[in-house]
Amino acid sequence: MKLTSDSSVRNGYALALLRIGVGILFLIFGQYKVFSTAFTLHGGFQFWIHKFLEGGAYPFMAPILQGFVLRHATSIAFLVAYGELAIGLALVLGIMIRSASFCGLIFMLTMLFSSDYPGAEAAFWQYFGASLSHSVFALCFAAFLIGRADSVWSMKASRQAQPGASGVENQ
């Protein structure tokens, strides 16, 4: 691999490195949930939702968590587990990056509002400090949506780099 001084090429490599790093983290998050039943079938998901409700959910999210999420906890736990795994696979392999990033952004915003509420009496800056565990990932997903996170180290880039690849699909 030869890095050139062209800033767009270097930015492509930086974005791909960040994309793969985030993807690996999501693979780690998702794999233990998928390959173990503690989160999906044995109350792990419900434990976290109750913990969010006890002290971390934004007030407008509490009725949603209580009335909808807990009512459908097992189904949503499987959606979370397989969703995290799918996002991680897509980002690492470089396939469907924009779709995975959109889903990841929605997921991180949902997590942020479900678990990062510092309290009504908190200073304005504390809202940002409390949200770091989810807002940083949300910003990464936004960057993958806006930028060209598939320009290098992706399936699209490998298809375009193949000899004879014209970038136009065969009819």
Side-chain angles (χ1 to χ4, degrees), residues 56-61 65 108-117:
Y58 276 74
F60 68 88
M61 282 298 289
L65 293 174
M108 286 299 103
L109 292 175
T110 303
M111 290 296 297
L112 186 148
F113 292 124
S114 296
S115 64
D116 293 335
Y117 184 59

Side-chain angles (χ1 to χ4, degrees), residues 104-155:
L105 178 60
I106 297 300
F107 180 53
M108 286 299 103
L109 292 175
T110 303
M111 290 296 297
L112 186 148
F113 292 124
S114 296
S115 64
D116 293 335
Y117 184 59
E121 70 287 344
F124 183 67
W125 65 268
Q126 290 175 315
Y127 286 87
F128 297 103
S131 76
L132 287 176
S133 60
H134 297 109
S135 61
V136 171
F137 280 118
L139 290 171
C140 289
F141 287 124
F144 303 153
L145 280 169
I146 295 167
R148 296 220 29 242
D150 60 354
S151 66
V152 293
W153 298 332
S154 69
M155 296 301 281

Side-chain angles (χ1 to χ4, degrees), residues 3 17 67 91 123 129 134:
L3 291 179
L17 183 64
L91 294 179
H134 297 109

Side-chain angles (χ1 to χ4, degrees), residues 75-95:
S75 300
I76 295 173
F78 276 100
L79 179 65
V80 167
Y82 282 94
E84 286 181 356
L85 190 67
I87 289 168
L89 281 172
L91 294 179
V92 168
L93 297 176
I95 54 175

Side-chain angles (χ1 to χ4, degrees), residues 4 44 122 129:
T4 66

Side-chain angles (χ1 to χ4, degrees), residues 10-33:
R10 290 177 46 194
N11 287 343
Y13 281 107
L15 199 54
L17 183 64
L18 181 62
R19 182 197 84 223
I20 292 167
V22 169
I24 289 169
L25 290 172
F26 269 75
L27 281 175
I28 293 167
F29 298 155
Q31 67 81 28
Y32 88 89
K33 293 173 184 161

